[in-house]
Amino acid sequence: MSERIFSGIQPTGNIHVGNYLGAVKNWVQLQEKYDCLFCIVDYHSVTVAYDPEGLEERVLDATATNIAAGLDPEKSIIFAQSLVPEHTELAWLLTCLTSVGALERMTQFKEKAARQESIFAGLMNYPILMAADILLYKAGLVPVGEDQLQHLELSRDLARRFNSTFREYFPEPKPLLTSGARVMGLNDPSSKMSKSLEGSYIGLADEEDLIKQKIRRAVTDPGPQGGKMGPGVANLFTLLEGFADPDVVNYFKRQYAQQSLMYSELKESLAAAMNTKIAPIREKRRELLAKPEKVKDILYAGAEQARQIAQRTMSEVRQLMGFRI
Ligand code: TRP
């Protein structure tokens, strides 16, 4: 059996090309070689203020979009966290092994807490739930972006603490740093592409006209800046490399080097290349969401498979921790 990979996907709408090039595209390849679990982390999504009425829709949207982009329920286990109660069960037991200080030092917690009026324990305990997600399946590799490395380090610490307190049991999960591109905002190339800023992102659900319009409005630079490419143009090249054929990329790179690049031409080709790749994803997503019951069935079937592994782990963990009645 190949090594196991676990990754958590936040249930959000507006999954964009930054998510695609930075993460999803990579997962699609990983599922060919590894035993993969992809979990829609709905319990993580309630650690900040949220709308309960929209939660189901967000879970279905994230599931459908990721499947449309290539995650394959035949190859990987795709499920929702809230369908496998062992996640919260293990999270509680790990909570009892976690020092409050370590949680308070988490960069993401500090940033999010600074924006809250009252800070709930769930926001602080977020990384413990993430550790439970991973350890429940004894995953050896976790594909993450830079921003999750500190959380993953806590998962490793908890595995080590469990092993030294009770018995050698959990493997220490290693990060698989996504080699994917870091895509910046179209309207502000100094910050990451974001789904909450209109004009910043191109969604995998966006129609052709909207793609063209957003690319046309993307920030460029007045020209080569002292021999160094400006961030707006560099971002357009990142996208071009992600979506266009290599000869198209090379053509525009030559144009740039010869200082004869026309931004309008670059943008037109980029929008066309993006639409070619996005159109089938957009269609497949639409088809899936037209039958939400089918999407739910995928999540239920995935949860059943996940649960078999999770239950085995939990029964061993209960034994090891002394819950034997
Ligand atoms: N915290 C991750 C994020 O925001 C999502 C996540 C939850 C996750 N559980 C995980 C990622 C387990 C990897 C493994 O992106």
Side-chain angles (χ1 to χ4, degrees), residues 155-196:
S155 305
R156 295 163 62 79
D157 287 346
L158 283 171
R160 238 177 275 132
R161 181 144 333 132
F162 186 97
N163 294 347
S164 64
T165 309
F166 303 105
R167 198 197 76 197
E168 193 63 31
Y169 181 69
F170 287 120
E172 287 178 33
K174 289 194 241 352
L176 192 62
L177 257 187
T178 327
S179 58
R182 187 172 149 85
V183 180
M184 310 308 282
L186 294 173
N187 56 354
D188 173 13
S190 66
S191 58
K192 242 170 75 171
M193 181 172 277
S194 159
K195 65 172 167 55
S196 41

Side-chain angles (χ1 to χ4, degrees), residues 6-10 27 39 41 44 81 108 112 126 129-131 133-134 142-145 147-148 151-152 155:
F6 184 99
S7 197
I9 303 170
Q10 289 280 356
W27 297 336
C39 176
V41 292
H44 277 103
Q81 194 181 29
Q108 202 171 75
K112 287 188 182 173
Y126 179 112
L129 181 58
M130 181 164 157
D133 295 340
I134 299 164
V142 181
V144 282
D147 64 325
Q148 296 298 317
H151 290 164
L152 195 62
S155 305

Side-chain angles (χ1 to χ4, degrees), residues 93-285:
L93 297 176
L94 295 177
T95 300
C96 299
L97 293 175
T98 309
S99 87
V100 175
L103 296 172
E104 284 172 337
R105 280 194 295 278
M106 292 284 158
T107 308
Q108 202 171 75
F109 169 68
K110 287 194 280 191
E111 280 170 10
K112 287 188 182 173
R115 284 186 252 131
Q116 311 285 318
E117 269 188 26
S118 49
I119 300 156
F120 295 120
L123 187 65
M124 189 171 79
N125 293 348
Y126 179 112
I128 307 178
L129 181 58
M130 181 164 157
D133 295 340
I134 299 164
L135 298 183
L136 203 44
Y137 303 97
K138 301 184 188 154
L141 290 172
V142 181
V144 282
E146 291 270 348
D147 64 325
Q148 296 298 317
L149 280 179
Q150 201 182 21
H151 290 164
L152 195 62
E153 196 51 48
L154 184 84
S155 305
R156 295 163 62 79
D157 287 346
L158 283 171
R160 238 177 275 132
R161 181 144 333 132
F162 186 97
N163 294 347
S164 64
T165 309
F166 303 105
R167 198 197 76 197
E168 193 63 31
Y169 181 69
F170 287 120
E172 287 178 33
K174 289 194 241 352
L176 192 62
L177 257 187
T178 327
S179 58
R182 187 172 149 85
V183 180
M184 310 308 282
L186 294 173
N187 56 354
D188 173 13
S190 66
S191 58
K192 242 170 75 171
M193 181 172 277
S194 159
K195 65 172 167 55
S196 41
L197 294 172
E198 206 48 54
S200 158
Y201 73 92
I202 287 177
L204 295 182
D206 284 356
E207 297 293 338
E208 182 167 15
D209 286 348
L210 191 56
I211 296 174
K212 280 189 183 155
Q213 192 194 86
K214 287 179 178 173
I215 290 292
R216 230 181 279 129
R217 290 184 187 160
V219 172
T220 50
D221 313 293
Q225 301 174 341
K228 202 169 171 294
M229 194 185 276
V233 179
N235 195 38
L236 294 181
F237 271 104
T238 301
L239 289 170
L240 197 68
E241 279 169 1
F243 288 98
D245 294 334
D247 41 330
V248 175
V249 180
N250 288 335
Y251 166 79
F252 283 107
K253 281 197 170 156
R254 268 196 314 275
Q255 295 281 308
Y256 181 85
Q258 294 160 5
Q259 302 194 10
S260 52
L261 176 67
M262 300 256 293
Y263 291 143
S264 56
E265 198 194 339
L266 169 67
K267 285 178 166 183
E268 205 175 307
S269 290
L270 174 58
M274 288 179 98
N275 188 59
T276 304
K277 291 264 164 61
I278 291 174
I281 298 177
R282 185 171 67 215
E283 277 318 303
K284 177 103 197 274
R285 170 184 173 276

Side-chain angles (χ1 to χ4, degrees), residues 60-102:
L60 295 182
D61 190 349
T63 308
T65 309
N66 277 286
I67 291 175
L71 290 197
D72 183 348
E74 301 285 321
K75 294 178 184 155
S76 302
I77 300 180
I78 302 169
F79 69 109
Q81 194 181 29
S82 62
L83 293 175
V84 180
E86 285 75 13
H87 286 250
T88 42
E89 190 178 358
L90 182 58
W92 171 252
L93 297 176
L94 295 177
T95 300
C96 299
L97 293 175
T98 309
S99 87
V100 175

